Amino acid sequence: MLTLTAGSRIETAFREKFPASDRLFERAQDLFPNGVTHDSRYLKPFPIYIDSAAGSHKTDVDGNELVDFWVGHGALLLGHSHPAVVEAVRRQIGRSTHPGGCHELELEWGEWVQRLVPSIERLRFTSSGTEATLMALRVARIASGKTKVVKFAGCFHGWHDALVPAAEPPHEPAADYATPGITDGVMGDLVIVPPGDLDAVARAIDLHDPACVILEGNGPRWGVVPLREDFVRGLRQLTAQRGVIFILDEVITGFRVRPGGFQEYCGVEPDLSTFAKVLAGGLPGGCLGGRADLLQVLAFDNPLGRKMKHPGTFNANPLSAAAGSAALEIVSSGEPCRRANEIAARVRSALNDVFAEKSVNWVAYGDFSTIKIHPEYDGPRPSADDFVPFGGDYLKLDRKFPPELSHAFRCALLSGGVDWMGWHGSTSSAHTEADVDRTAEAFSQAIDLLRADGLLD
């Protein structure tokens, strides 16, 4: 029976292991709301502070070495501080960090994107994935002359006004997706449909005549509700038939699931695609790419006569271009994607073995290089790696769990030497079999601690 009380044993062990982070957090509370600079880094009783990182490990300010499953919020497919990326940035930083002009590295970076993703006829660099999806909507609206946008419940496309509503549960059919700070006018242009439901998309298109449909590659929030390639192919066919611009958000999946992204895996060509994370080799950077006629709205002499304004102080910054070009050259072999996907499958299998051994109603699932944990699952146990709990029912999969359990779980894992991103993790090509074993052991110990503190049956 789950109780909603703080886990004293877990907290005591956590405070003993991370005293320097505790002290730094005291300073942070006078600087930042809740003492953090990113919502996902918020942790009770305090977050850990990292000093250095290499490969699949990072070291905190107390000298604890941790197996890392954040991998730079998904950006570090090659692992931390990959030598080729470090050397590329080192060479460039002494030449210029911000020349305020065109430079050859932006050409090299753009050519790598075109080489790996055939649908990219033209592209424009940004500083983040949020900027890329924001630009995608504006391009679609200018090119189509329409305003409404169809998105899928649970998909995260950045934190800008136009797409942040419905990025998190709850997703009940009658859910009110009103979001603090987002105006009714913005909400009126957003049409939210259930993930994986082509009929709902067709009805939304018929009713609202939207400028575009946008989908997060592999399903909501890096596959918490995994979507299969047949659905993506069907969505591509439907949008093409109805003359609606199809945007595939590959900020996470791009260059990670395969060198050509989720679209290569599915065998589709979106009209527009957004990228970030792996694109920039771990530095800030994003881009929008796709059909040349659509990207033409950014040109000064475009035939529509309506140019989209797009400045951006750090667009195609040479340090990001250097890191991105070095990373994409390595990714182009396909080996980093293959290795990260393979090791994630081994982690999922090892964790499901732990859950069965411990008789806990948790399950690990996911596709490619992601591992999702659902801590309230009482159905059949996985028999293969393509298993999806609850038959893919998004209302059961995409849920919030008690915050007391969530904080205690992460603290218990950290005490065992593993840094897990909430209820999910991602792998890099640098993760090893030893990391898999250490992770399984940390999960086993964490379950014991949660039980001892009355947070788990």
Side-chain angles (χ1 to χ4, degrees):
M1 179 71 177
L2 177 66
T3 59
L4 301 183
T5 58
S8 59
R9 294 190 188 185
I10 293 173
E11 182 169 332
T12 298
F14 185 78
R15 289 185 181 278
E16 289 176 353
K17 186 161 186 171
F18 302 105
S21 286
D22 195 358
R23 291 192 294 272
L24 290 174
F25 184 60
E26 288 297 321
R27 290 171 54 191
Q29 292 182 80
D30 291 330
L31 294 169
F32 315 121
N34 280 133
V36 294
T37 55
H38 188 294
D39 283 358
S40 295
R41 297 170 197 160
Y42 177 61
L43 180 66
K44 291 182 177 180
F46 54 83
I48 59 166
Y49 284 73
I50 302 304
D51 178 67
S52 62
S56 60
H57 293 182
K58 55 191 182 186
T59 303
D60 77 338
V61 291
D62 283 294
N64 299 301
E65 188 178 79
L66 308 165
V67 181
D68 180 35
F69 288 93
W70 286 63
V71 291
H73 295 251
L76 300 173
L77 176 64
L78 306 180
H80 293 278
S81 306
H82 189 282
V85 176
V86 171
E87 176 58 22
V89 174
R90 187 199 63 77
R91 286 196 308 267
Q92 181 58 36
I93 200 166
R95 301 174 64 87
S96 72
T97 62
H98 198 323
C102 300
H103 54 89
E104 190 172 356
L105 274 175
E106 68 186 9
L107 306 180
E108 180 182 341
W109 197 18
E111 287 165 354
W112 272 116
V113 175
Q114 279 192 331
R115 192 175 299 135
L116 295 177
V117 189
S119 69
I120 307 302
E121 296 175 350
R122 295 289 186 275
L123 68 149
R124 193 71 172 259
F125 286 112
T126 65
S127 294
S128 69
T130 289
E131 289 181 36
T133 60
L134 176 62
M135 182 161 65
L137 297 195
R138 194 172 300 174
V139 166
R141 284 169 167 154
I142 295 172
S144 68
K146 302 172 185 178
T147 61
K148 295 202 173 184
V149 174
V150 175
K151 73 161 282 186
F152 295 90
C155 285
F156 180 71
H157 303 287
W159 59 272
H160 59 81
D161 288 14
L163 288 173
V164 74
E168 294 184 340
H171 301 306
E172 290 83 2
D176 178 3
Y177 289 114
T179 304
I182 308 301
T183 65
D184 291 342
V186 170
M187 291 296 297
D189 281 332
L190 189 60
V191 181
I192 300 162
V193 297
D197 189 337
L198 279 178
D199 290 337
V201 179
R203 290 192 298 270
I205 290 173
D206 291 343
L207 181 61
H208 298 283
D209 190 24
C212 59
V213 175
I214 185 167
L215 172 71
E216 183 183 352
N218 194 41
R221 295 196 314 288
W222 191 197
V224 69
V225 182
L227 296 180
R228 297 300 180 233
E229 55 268 33
D230 287 349
F231 170 77
V232 182
R233 294 182 191 125
L235 184 61
R236 169 68 285 191
Q237 183 178 12
L238 174 64
T239 51
Q241 289 172 344
R242 305 294 178 90
V244 178
I245 294 170
F246 174 39
I247 304 169
L248 187 61
D249 179 355
E250 296 236 44
V251 166
I252 297 179
T253 54
F255 315 110
R256 172 171 274 279
V257 304
R258 291 223 179 146
F262 193 54
Q263 57 194 274
E264 177 189 341
Y265 175 77
C266 295
V268 301
E269 289 200 357
D271 299 304
L272 295 170
S273 303
T274 58
F275 300 94
K277 298 189 186 293
V278 176
L279 167 78
L283 271 67
C287 82
L288 172 69
R291 285 168 36 193
D293 62 312
L294 296 179
L295 270 293
Q296 189 68 9
V297 304
L298 289 155
F300 288 97
D301 56 352
N302 77 75
L304 291 177
R306 301 190 301 274
K307 181 194 174 340
M308 175 185 157
K309 185 175 178 62
H310 183 238
T313 300
F314 293 100
N315 292 349
N317 179 270
L319 294 184
S320 297
S325 296
L328 293 184
E329 182 175 5
I330 298 168
V331 168
S332 68
S333 71
E335 179 58 21
C337 302
R338 185 200 66 77
R339 176 59 181 168
N341 293 345
E342 177 185 77
I343 205 75
R346 296 186 186 183
V347 173
R348 292 190 292 265
S349 177
L351 294 184
N352 280 322
D353 287 345
V354 169
F355 302 154
E357 178 186 339
K358 294 289 182 178
S359 299
V360 65
N361 63 338
W362 293 15
V363 67
Y365 70 101
D367 294 331
F368 308 110
S369 51
T370 186
I371 308 105
K372 305 292 183 184
I373 306 297
H374 197 296
E376 296 179 7
Y377 175 72
D378 291 306
R381 305 309 302 174
S383 58
D385 191 52
D386 61 355
F387 170 82
V388 179
F390 304 113
D393 184 342
Y394 79 103
L395 294 175
K396 295 180 179 178
L397 281 173
D398 194 4
R399 293 182 45 207
K400 289 187 176 181
F401 304 108
E404 293 83 0
L405 175 63
S406 299
H407 287 283
F409 164 58
R410 187 170 173 225
C411 287
L413 276 183
L414 281 165
S415 296
V418 170
D419 196 5
W420 201 260
M421 190 176 180
W423 291 101
H424 78 267
S426 297
T427 53
S428 71
S429 60
H431 280 82
T432 66
E433 298 295 338
D435 292 332
V436 177
D437 294 340
R438 186 173 169 188
T439 301
E441 182 180 358
F443 265 80
S444 179
Q445 293 172 354
I447 290 168
D448 290 342
L449 286 170
L450 290 168
R451 279 184 166 146
D453 279 335
L455 289 164
L456 201 61
D457 283 343

